[in-house]
Amino acid sequence: MDARVVGGAVAILTVVLTAVLATSLATLHQTEMGLKTNAFWQTLSPTIYYGGLHWVGAGGYFIKFQKTVLSTEFSTDAHDILHARTKDGLPIVLGISYQYAYIPDKLHDLYLAYLGDHDRVYFNTATHLISEESTRHTAYDFFDQPQQVAQKMQHTLDEYFEQHLFANVVALQINSRLLPEPFNDAILDSLTTKQNITATYRYVDRMNVTLETQLLVARQDALATVASAKGAAQAALANSFAAANVTHSRTDADVGGFRRVKGELDLDNADVLKYVYWDSLSGRGIGATGDANLAVPGYAQGSGLGLDEADVLVDLEPSVMARQGAP
């Protein structure tokens, strides 16, 4: 056999084998997953393939799906904004976006059910479900509680998508909501009034706290004042009792001393009274050189008891003697 023929056959075989190998390999990005299918045999494998280089065989390729979260938006930019009605019958225009992700274990069922046309089915189904869910909420709910309405819409879509469309709706946002102009004005007025009422309630609560604090402080001050007054009264009463006891003791001592003087000097009551008088004068500094007549009271002058005799009695100082227990 001619060497050139052999060489040509080998070259052709090499090219064919290279082409077969090249077409028998397929790649998936790390953010993708896929189902292997074969154009020659018209087969679809239920096995899920992820990122990397894979052997798919001659005529094989991947039907690719995104592994990441995808987003769909209803907006005026795409001319597909949602027109719906509220529970109270008012027309509402909604701008909504939602995010979904394929369920990997259900990719085979998803492709067999919609043959790759599932995006259009997702869009139409979401339009219907969101419009229907809008009829369960009042116009005021869309203004006052948009997050709660969005959560209920997301729950409705997720439940239906998981059962029938083999995907999960992970989030939903209400980006815009338009109602008739008169209703918008009324809603804004009611929201302003509600905010004013809330602010008033908060002011009342703050004032209640302030007044309660002031009342507590006043009660504590009153208790402190009463306690201080009671302490001062007790101190004054104790001082009065002490002064009374001292006076009583001194009086008892003086009475005892005068009684002893009366007994030892054999004096009658009149003489004792005279003695008391002269004893008090001696404490005022009346001496022998003083004016005796000025110092002698009328009852002493009339009794015949002279100044010298009174001086004798004073010099005895019987009260001091009685207090000291002198003989």
Side-chain angles (χ1 to χ4, degrees):
M1 182 180 293
D2 191 352
R4 288 181 298 177
V5 174
V6 174
V10 171
I12 293 173
L13 181 61
T14 303
V15 172
V16 171
L17 290 177
T18 303
V20 170
L21 289 175
T23 57
S24 297
L25 294 174
T27 59
L28 288 172
H29 194 270
Q30 293 300 320
T31 61
E32 294 177 332
M33 51 188 175
L35 297 173
K36 185 175 71 172
T37 185
N38 192 285
F40 296 152
W41 305 106
Q42 297 294 309
T43 58
L44 179 68
S45 172
T47 304
I48 308 301
Y49 292 85
Y50 295 94
L53 182 64
H54 303 277
W55 175 266
V56 294
Y61 62 93
F62 282 120
I63 300 173
K64 299 179 181 180
F65 299 87
Q66 288 294 320
K67 191 168 59 174
T68 58
V69 174
L70 303 174
S71 180
T72 298
E73 183 176 6
F74 299 90
S75 65
T76 55
D77 295 337
H79 305 288
D80 52 16
I81 196 166
L82 281 173
H83 292 264
R85 284 191 177 271
T86 63
K87 184 177 181 180
D88 36 20
L90 292 175
I92 185 171
V93 180
L94 294 173
I96 290 178
S97 60
Y98 68 91
Q99 292 73 46
Y100 65 94
Y102 300 118
I103 300 175
D105 295 340
K106 300 293 185 178
L107 288 183
H108 186 261
D109 297 332
L110 174 63
Y111 186 78
L112 291 179
Y114 303 108
L115 298 177
D117 195 26
H118 53 274
D119 289 337
R120 181 180 61 84
V121 176
Y122 283 2
F123 187 88
N124 293 335
T125 302
T127 301
H128 170 72
L129 292 176
I130 292 173
S131 299
E132 184 178 0
E133 182 64 29
S134 298
T135 62
R136 300 187 179 97
H137 305 279
T138 64
Y140 188 79
D141 292 337
F142 281 97
F143 271 87
D144 189 52
Q145 300 175 345
Q147 295 298 328
Q148 287 82 345
V149 175
Q151 289 177 1
K152 291 181 180 179
M153 288 182 174
Q154 183 262 329
H155 176 74
T156 300
L157 263 67
D158 180 60
E159 185 177 4
Y160 189 90
F161 272 48
E162 184 175 5
Q163 293 180 3
H164 304 284
L165 303 180
F166 314 108
N168 290 121
V169 177
V170 296
L172 185 145
Q173 302 84 34
I174 299 178
N175 302 319
S176 63
R177 53 209 184 277
L178 298 177
L179 285 161
E181 192 66 26
F183 186 82
N184 283 336
D185 295 339
I187 285 292
L188 292 177
D189 292 339
S190 65
L191 290 177
T192 302
T193 303
K194 184 177 180 180
Q195 290 176 356
N196 293 335
I197 293 174
T198 302
T200 302
Y201 276 124
R202 290 177 179 175
Y203 175 76
V204 171
D205 292 339
R206 291 197 302 269
M207 290 304 299
N208 285 334
V209 173
T210 301
L211 293 176
E212 288 292 338
T213 303
Q214 293 178 352
L215 181 60
L216 180 61
V217 172
R219 287 175 178 172
Q220 295 299 323
D221 291 342
L223 292 176
T225 302
V226 171
S228 177
K230 287 183 178 180
Q234 291 293 333
L237 186 61
N239 291 335
S240 298
F241 277 127
N245 289 333
V246 171
T247 302
H248 189 270
S249 299
R250 291 187 59 183
T251 302
D252 289 344
D254 288 341
V255 170
F258 291 138
R259 184 179 290 113
R260 184 172 180 182
V261 168
K262 178 183 177 181
E264 292 184 0
L265 298 181
D266 194 19
L267 300 175
D268 57 16
N269 292 334
D271 293 336
V272 172
L273 290 175
K274 294 175 183 178
Y275 167 74
V276 171
Y277 173 75
W278 291 111
D279 185 49
S280 63
L281 288 181
S282 66
R284 298 175 189 173
I286 301 297
T289 60
D291 190 350
N293 292 326
L294 292 176
V296 179
Y299 70 85
Q301 296 176 2
S303 64
L305 186 60
L307 183 58
D308 294 338
E309 185 177 1
D311 285 339
V312 173
L313 292 176
V314 172
D315 290 339
L316 290 176
E317 297 185 3
S319 61
V320 177
M321 177 186 66
R323 295 189 192 109
Q324 295 178 352

